[in-house]
Amino acid sequence: MRIALIYPPPWKIAAREETVSYGHDGPPPGHRPQDLDADFYQTPYGLFTLGAEALRAGHRVKVLNLSAYAWSRVEEVIAGLDADVFGMSCWTANRRGVALTARCIREHHPKAHIVVGGPHATPLATEMLEHHPEIDTVSLGESDATFLELLGRLELGKPTSGIAGTVYREGDAIRKGPERRAIHDLDTLASPHTYFDTHIVMTSRGCPWACTFCGAETTWGRGFRGHSVRYVLDALERVLARLPVKMLQIKDDTFTTNKKRVLELCHGIRERGLQFFWSCDTRVDLLTEPLLREMRLAGCQRLSLGVESGSQAILDAIDKKITPDEILESTEMAKRVGIKVRYYMMLGNRGETRHTFQETLDFLDRARPHEYIFSCLSIYPGTRDFHDAEAAGFVDREVFFTETFQELKTPFDASEEDTHRMNEWFFANSGLRIVHRDGVADYRAILERLGDYHAAHMDLGAALYHAGDLEGAEHHVRRALELGYPLPGLVHNHLACIAHARGDLDGMMNHFSHAAKVDPQHFVLIQNVNAARAWFKQGGPGRKLPLQLTVRHDFQLLERTVQPTLPGPLPEDWKAWNAIALPAEPSATYLRTPDVEGSQHVLKTRTRLKVVV
């Protein structure tokens, strides 16, 4: 069968040259581009897992990321895709785009089967079918086995009613199939990295905790399940063979839930000689210094911690089950081995006041992570926040079908005055905030603790460069290269900048040229090469014009916007069904710029929230 897996835009987007207004189908009033987090544009990993399962079963599959496409182009693509089955991933932010795309699919392909899944569709499955008659089936939660069973029935011309884990139409009625048990052995699943190029990796599913704002349990069920270490290592080898930039994001809900498993994984990475850098997300109470040391030596560069608040009262209210002291201890342990620490913080959680928020700001001054990002509370369907808010009568699920807001960003119970104060602060401080930078002494101590490790040499070399010690910088940067630093383009970028600081322009360009040959994909390298070319063109050396070059190698995934991971251009033969995966050319531009991360969408006050009753 021909299967199109679509990641649609959030609403109807007008092309730059268009003057059309899409009204209720367009962006919400007052919307700004920065209100959508850059991560929104990443194709959800679930679409790749479903695509891999379908490909292994012998179907023909296309995964298309249309998340930033103008609506006129979306219509053109949908009309040109002669698919038997269209599947879409539905999140709260793109729920309207899913409905609009389903309508477009039904118009152009009246006989196609339309199935929708995802964290927004699962808790509102019945309502989605009631409001959107174009959708045939909603797949609930973990959908791998459900999707394959659906495809099997369609291929044989059998009815799709009664499939476990679905909500479906039966005549004019909407029915729910039996509950589907969670997949016990995740290793039985096809690896997305056998078929698709994506820098996102998931090694496990689920989280044993139940924070009030989180919907992981709705998607995966309660508890933690992990792929075996061998399965993950094999997947890592596949993805590293496919990707030009050796940087990966491990996006498990809580990566270090099973510390023994993570230690074995880190040992396996080193034993197999896999050279790459990675980041992961976890909790502060699941870390030890020996574990963090092994993670760093296996390539972990950044640790994102769900901190949420520095107030114990708020941490207790949201059932976080951590303390500020545990946050401080984990932060210091990670710093000692050179892992960059990022905090994810929140505004507007239950119990939040100006006083608890000030506690959080004071705590950040004490903790001094390398960086943090604040987000405003979104009340997502399926979370405890949603159920409690619905029971209290200040949220009605119908607003997700009648209102145009992007996400329901509203304080759980803060006063209007406190909300206004928090929004003022957030407006001035949203996005990625840099708090702490390690210095030469810190990096020397880290190198001593880790031994002769390439990334520790690179960190120290960069610090010495910024301190003006060019000889020391070159020594450690070159040592990083000798030890197999997995991003040689950034090493040569450093050496080019060192040569420029010495006035060696030939050496600078030689290093830039070599970097472009062996490892050309990095944003900072491209930025510097373009700056140097423009400088020479303007007669910079003879006119003594300044040349500003950037020395940085921090963990950042700034890949070109290429299908199917990001909404890049489609290849010329995108309508054909003779390819397993779309061989697309990258966009000439990048999806995001350095350090622009995190939504800048502020909280609404509850008193202004329109509730349909």
Side-chain angles (χ1 to χ4, degrees), residues 493 497 512 524-532 548-551:
N493 180 72
C497 293
F512 279 148
V524 65
L525 173 63
I526 296 169
Q527 189 180 45
N528 280 348
V529 169
N530 289 340
Q548 298 295 327
L549 298 178
T550 301
V551 171

Side-chain angles (χ1 to χ4, degrees), residues 140-158:
L140 305 175
E142 186 175 61
S143 295
D144 311 81
T146 305
F147 189 59
L148 278 187
E149 184 175 346
L150 175 70
L151 297 181
R153 292 205 191 179
L154 289 169
E155 190 171 30
L156 295 174
K158 293 183 177 181

Side-chain angles (χ1 to χ4, degrees), residues 206-221:
C207 177
W209 290 265
C211 301
T212 60
F213 55 83
C214 180
E217 186 174 343
T218 301
T219 299
W220 304 122

Side-chain angles (χ1 to χ4, degrees), residues 13-20 70 72 589:
I13 301 171
R16 290 183 180 180
E17 65 276 7
E18 292 179 335
T19 58
V20 63
S72 56
T589 60

Side-chain angles (χ1 to χ4, degrees), residues 527-543:
Q527 189 180 45
N528 280 348
V529 169
N530 289 340
R533 286 174 177 168
W535 183 66
F536 280 114
K537 188 175 182 178
Q538 295 168 359
R543 298 171 60 191

Side-chain angles (χ1 to χ4, degrees), residues 46-114:
L47 282 186
F48 291 130
T49 63
L50 295 183
E53 284 293 298
L55 284 165
R56 187 173 66 174
H59 300 286
R60 288 176 287 175
V61 177
K62 293 180 182 291
V63 178
L64 302 179
N65 186 324
L66 309 181
S67 60
Y69 276 36
W71 186 251
S72 56
R73 179 60 169 159
V74 173
E75 288 187 305
E76 178 187 354
V77 171
I78 294 299
L81 280 176
D82 188 19
D84 302 303
V85 179
F86 287 85
M88 285 185 283
S89 181
C90 184
W91 303 66
T92 299
N94 76 343
R95 70 192 187 282
R96 293 197 294 133
V98 166
L100 292 164
T101 304
R103 192 184 309 164
C104 182
I105 293 169
R106 183 61 67 224
E107 177 184 347
H108 292 284
H109 309 284
K111 295 182 180 180
H113 193 95
I114 301 175

Side-chain angles (χ1 to χ4, degrees), residues 548-569:
Q548 298 295 327
L549 298 178
T550 301
V551 171
R552 61 183 296 180
H553 62 282
D554 46 312
F555 187 90
Q556 47 179 343
L557 284 166
L558 295 163
E559 297 182 288
R560 289 190 182 276
T561 311
V562 61
Q563 293 283 346
T565 306
L566 293 168

Side-chain angles (χ1 to χ4, degrees), residues 34 37-39 302-304 340-345 369-375 425-437 552 554-558 592-600:
Q34 60 267 38
D37 191 301
D39 284 343
R302 189 177 73 207
L303 190 65
S304 296
K340 300 297 184 293
V341 179
R342 174 180 289 184
Y343 286 178
Y344 286 127
M345 310 297 296
H370 294 95
E371 54 197 38
Y372 63 78
I373 299 177
F374 268 89
S375 63
W425 181 92
F426 180 73
F427 190 79
N429 296 277
S430 57
L432 186 69
R433 313 302 296 179
I434 306 298
V435 179
H436 174 76
R437 297 184 188 275
R552 61 183 296 180
D554 46 312
F555 187 90
Q556 47 179 343
L557 284 166
L558 295 163
R592 54 180 168 181
T593 54
D595 302 333
V596 179
E597 298 187 52
S599 170
Q600 298 184 27

